[in-house]
Amino acid sequence: MSRRRRALAWIDDRLRAAAVNHGTDAVGWVSLDTRHEGSLTVAGGRSLYGGQLGIALYLAVRARVGEMERDDGNPGALARRAVSPWLSCDVSEIETRHTGGTNGIGALVYGFTRLAEETGDERYADRASEIIDVTTERFIRADDRHGVVYGNAGLILALTAHYTRQEDDRAVALARVAGDHLLETATERADGLAWETDGVAAAGFAHGSAGVGYALARLAAATGDRRYAEAAADALLFEASRFDDETVQWASGPSHSRHGVGEGWCWGRPGHALARVAAADLVETLPNRVVDRGRRGVAAVGTTDYDNDTLCHGTFGDVAVLTAASHARTAPLDRARRLTSTALAQWRQRGRFRLAETAHVPGGRPSLFRGLAGIGHTLCRLQAPDTVPSVLLLE
């Protein structure tokens, strides 16, 4: 058995062992709630980032890619049980405060759309469509977070992903509403467009202009509307002033970084670089310096010595970025494989993956972006890069 297969089996065993039954047909996981002094809670939440939807997506991918045996303990069965309460309830009971693609309405749309694709069960696609149908323009226009995680950029990515699979006109219509709201709320700076949250114009993929720029590029590709393509270029140009030619880094600000330089997909170089090379695949008119810096950033991905292995801001986030960049023809897939080989050798030596805030959590964090499910998803995508979409891009 290969080291990759051993690692996936190790992750599956821990997700099974940590699963907590709720009634006869639902399951959850124990997780750490950092908002309440590190207390243990039964992981719920409908988010893709840290909740059960993200875990379910990994399990569904694992069941298909791994061709697991069908029994009550296999990943496919656990995926179904993880989201069963949200299929059986009335759609009006599914509420969220945000529009975002990993934490919000967008997460639900994307998660259920992808579950339908992985499992072939159209009930998931129907649920995604029902959520889109009850989402109002007023709710979208109330967004003040803007970015991929919590805001309208993430909603655009989820809706365009749904549209490409289901050809749901309502999805692209709402994506336009979100895109127009981003154009209306943008702040013009000397070097491009920025979006402010609490008075701060953030940089980076998860919460800043890089992610917004990529989302607008996706919307431009889906609609053919040049306004979105031009705004995508301006969003990516805004962060050009934060680029350091010598270190090939984008400054993100001291509150989200070490020494003002962000790390990982969320705030750092991997996310900045990925946004640029992926947007260049969608919009031919991006300025050359945007594309060139994206390629230089990709060339430097994999050189950071992280203190964790997570998808959001750790070693396997770099693997996922390099895998996605290989599709954009800016990085050979062998780079992702070599980095994975090194990370798995270290896993074998330590006997565990390095996850944030896991001292008292059985098996470690189970979640997609900061836990075991994300590492598993990255390994599955590396095994089947042509059939497992990038979750970092919400493809």
Side-chain angles (χ1 to χ4, degrees):
M1 181 184 292
S2 69
R3 188 168 284 166
R4 180 192 58 78
R5 291 181 65 185
R6 288 192 187 97
L8 284 168
W10 187 91
I11 290 169
D12 293 344
D13 286 345
R14 276 145 188 81
L15 289 178
R16 288 192 192 99
V20 178
N21 290 323
H22 296 294
T24 59
D25 198 40
V27 68
W29 282 267
V30 172
S31 187
L32 187 69
D33 188 346
T34 57
R35 296 168 300 177
H36 297 93
E37 298 182 356
S39 61
L40 288 175
T41 63
V42 175
R46 306 178 181 99
S47 81
L48 199 68
Y49 187 97
Q52 292 189 199
L53 194 55
I55 300 170
L57 177 57
Y58 158 64
L59 291 168
V61 169
R62 172 74 170 121
R64 178 178 64 81
V65 173
E67 299 178 353
M68 305 296 290
E69 294 181 3
R70 297 184 176 277
D71 59 59
D72 288 341
N74 84 77
L78 279 179
R80 177 185 58 77
R81 295 178 66 203
V83 297
S84 63
W86 311 328
L87 282 181
S88 58
C89 71
D90 188 274
V91 70
S92 63
E93 297 176 26
I94 302 178
E95 298 179 353
T96 179
R97 292 182 298 163
H98 303 294
T99 60
T102 67
N103 296 62
I105 285 292
L108 295 168
V109 171
Y110 182 80
F112 283 120
T113 299
R114 286 284 293 112
L115 284 172
E117 184 175 38
E118 291 298 332
T119 65
D121 188 339
E122 286 303 309
R123 291 181 302 163
Y124 295 124
D126 291 343
R127 176 84 339 168
S129 294
E130 290 166 358
I131 292 169
I132 291 170
D133 288 341
V134 300
T135 300
T136 66
E137 294 187 15
R138 180 179 180 181
F139 179 69
I140 294 172
R141 293 186 181 281
D143 169 53
D144 61 359
R145 302 297 290 271
H146 311 303
V148 169
V149 170
Y150 290 110
N152 278 343
L155 180 60
I156 288 170
L157 296 179
L159 290 170
T160 53
H162 181 80
Y163 176 70
T164 59
R165 293 166 171 87
Q166 301 295 324
E167 297 184 353
D168 185 339
D169 290 338
R170 168 83 172 155
V172 78
L174 288 182
R176 280 183 174 274
V177 173
D180 290 347
H181 186 63
L182 285 172
L183 299 189
E184 293 162 6
T185 55
T187 301
E188 291 191 20
R189 300 292 182 94
D191 49 357
L193 292 180
W195 285 263
E196 294 184 359
T197 300
D198 299 326
V200 177
F205 198 108
H207 305 283
S209 290
V212 175
Y214 172 67
L216 290 170
R218 275 264 291 269
L219 186 56
T223 63
D225 193 325
R226 291 175 56 87
R227 296 179 304 141
Y228 303 132
E230 291 168 359
D234 286 339
L236 296 171
L237 278 170
F238 161 67
E239 296 179 330
S241 63
R242 303 185 179 207
F243 182 76
D244 186 300
D245 269 308
E246 184 176 345
T247 62
V248 195
Q249 288 277 18
W250 287 263
S252 62
S255 62
H256 303 291
S257 59
R258 289 191 295 191
H259 311 297
V261 177
E263 297 178 336
W265 164 83
C266 48
W267 293 103
R269 174 168 55 201
H272 279 284
L274 181 59
R276 285 156 175 77
V277 298
D281 249 12
L282 301 169
V283 175
E284 296 179 353
T285 55
L286 283 186
N288 288 337
R289 63 172 171 154
V290 169
V291 180
D292 176 66
R293 288 173 176 176
R295 289 172 177 161
R296 289 179 62 195
V298 167
V301 170
T303 61
T304 300
D305 183 17
Y306 293 106
D307 61 3
N308 74 94
D309 294 316
T310 65
L311 184 60
C312 180
H313 46 265
T315 303
F316 281 91
D318 279 13
V319 173
V321 166
L322 290 173
T323 306
S326 74
H327 272 233
R329 299 175 298 281
T330 54
L333 195 58
D334 282 349
R335 284 184 57 203
R337 290 179 175 140
R338 288 196 299 271
L339 184 57
T340 299
S341 179
T342 300
L344 291 183
Q346 293 170 348
W347 160 72
R348 288 292 288 176
Q349 185 176 15
R350 288 189 302 266
R352 62 180 179 84
F353 288 109
R354 299 171 300 167
L355 308 174
E357 301 149 345
T358 58
H360 305 294
V361 182
R365 276 185 182 270
S367 65
L368 184 63
F369 276 77
R370 297 183 70 179
L372 294 175
I375 296 172
H377 188 281
T378 304
L379 292 173
C380 286
R381 175 157 163 75
L382 194 59
Q383 178 184 350
D386 294 328
T387 63
V388 179
S390 168
V391 72
L392 293 184
L393 293 173
L394 296 181
E395 285 183 326

